[in-house]
Amino acid sequence: MDCAKVEESALNKITTNHTNPIKMFEEWYKNYLDSNPEEPMFTAGCLSTASKNGNVTSRNLLLKRLDEDGFVMMTDNRSYKFKVITENPQVSLVFLWNQFMPEGLLSRQVRIYGFVKKLANEETEKLYEDDPIFAKIRSYICESGKPEEWDSLKAQHDELLRKIENNEIELKKPDHIVSFKIFPQYMDFYETCGKRIADRLLYTKSDSTWKISRLAA
């Protein structure tokens, strides 16, 4: 009798009826947020940009709004990222969600490739209104990527907060705060759970329709 231990192994399979990948993203996104209601930072995705010289950088940004045709985010137009997407609007966006399930760790990843368009100021103002107070204060005292002294920022922060608490000032959206939308051209969905080999579905856009194919992990 062979008593050698046999490790577990299986193939995961993604099942969906969604022909539009944004609808599928919305389903996964909602499932994760419903399971983690106290973790709003998990609305963040990793945005990668490439300059006209080919310099690639990545950073996590909050998803401010999910539209039927794309992903809306906000930034400082004085930032390096905004300079780069102005030069080269082709970007990549990745979301990763891990959560423990009875059958093991459920890991889902969505990779998005598309192009960026800046949104109108009126849309940005609506998004800005929904920001928490710390985010609004940050937009006033911080210039993204600029060298700064911590004590100086602390003094600016405390003075601005004091004025807000005393109703001496209203933090309207500064001109340098802008929003943009990523319009996807392809979306790659990766999923595995426990000791299973992951499955992937690729949605590729052609004109106004989406073609679906399965990829190896």
Side-chain angles (χ1 to χ4, degrees), residues 16-195:
T16 181
N17 294 320
H18 292 305
T19 57
N20 185 327
I22 293 182
K23 290 296 184 183
M24 183 167 173
F25 177 92
E26 184 177 30
E27 179 184 314
W28 281 18
Y29 184 64
K30 186 177 185 302
N31 286 345
Y32 194 81
L33 293 183
D34 287 347
S35 301
N36 298 271
E38 303 303 321
E39 297 292 343
M41 290 303 291
F42 284 111
T43 63
C46 182
L47 177 71
S48 296
T49 59
S51 71
K52 61 183 179 181
N53 297 322
N55 296 318
V56 178
T57 55
S58 301
R59 76 288 286 165
N60 287 314
L61 291 181
L62 296 181
L63 179 62
K64 304 299 292 187
R65 193 178 75 212
L66 179 64
D67 291 347
E68 292 183 356
D69 58 352
F71 302 79
V72 175
M73 294 179 161
M74 292 175 66
T75 190
D76 184 331
N77 69 9
R78 302 168 297 180
S79 66
Y80 177 76
K81 83 174 73 65
F82 190 77
K83 176 181 181 293
V84 170
I85 62 178
T86 301
E87 292 179 354
N88 176 14
Q90 303 294 328
V91 301
S92 176
L93 180 63
V94 180
F95 290 86
L96 174 64
W97 304 305
N98 290 323
Q99 61 185 118
F100 288 100
M101 308 291 285
E103 58 270 33
L105 179 69
L106 174 63
S107 182
R108 284 174 166 174
Q109 176 178 270
V110 183
R111 293 194 305 135
I112 300 150
Y113 172 83
F115 63 91
V116 170
K117 283 189 177 180
K118 182 175 174 289
L119 297 181
N121 187 61
E122 292 75 16
E123 290 194 65
T124 309
E125 286 180 340
K126 292 178 183 178
L127 295 170
Y128 179 84
E129 288 174 3
D130 293 333
D131 267 351
I133 191 64
F134 78 88
K136 291 179 178 177
I137 291 177
R138 179 185 60 207
S139 71
Y140 270 73
I141 68 172
C142 295
E143 181 174 343
S144 180
K146 178 185 176 182
E148 192 59 85
E149 294 291 334
W150 188 89
D151 288 339
S152 174
L153 279 180
K154 178 69 164 61
Q156 294 176 63
H157 170 275
D158 292 351
E159 176 62 14
L160 196 53
L161 182 60
R162 182 193 66 78
K163 289 181 178 180
I164 294 168
E165 292 174 340
N166 293 330
N167 296 315
E168 297 177 21
I169 189 172
E170 181 181 356
L171 296 188
K172 295 184 178 180
K173 185 192 77 65
D175 291 340
H176 57 262
I177 297 299
V178 296
S179 61
F180 59 89
K181 184 185 291 189
I182 300 169
F183 294 87
Q185 298 302 295
Y186 75 66
M187 294 178 60
D188 180 347
F189 292 81
Y190 169 107
E191 180 190 76
T192 188
C193 187
K195 297 181 179 180

Side-chain angles (χ1 to χ4, degrees), residues 196-208:
R196 300 180 188 173
I197 298 170
D199 190 21
R200 290 167 63 191
L201 289 183
L202 176 66
Y203 289 75
T204 306
K205 194 169 189 179
S206 176
D207 296 324
S208 59

Side-chain angles (χ1 to χ4, degrees), residues 1-6:
M1 183 176 69
D2 186 0
C3 295
K5 181 180 179 180
V6 178

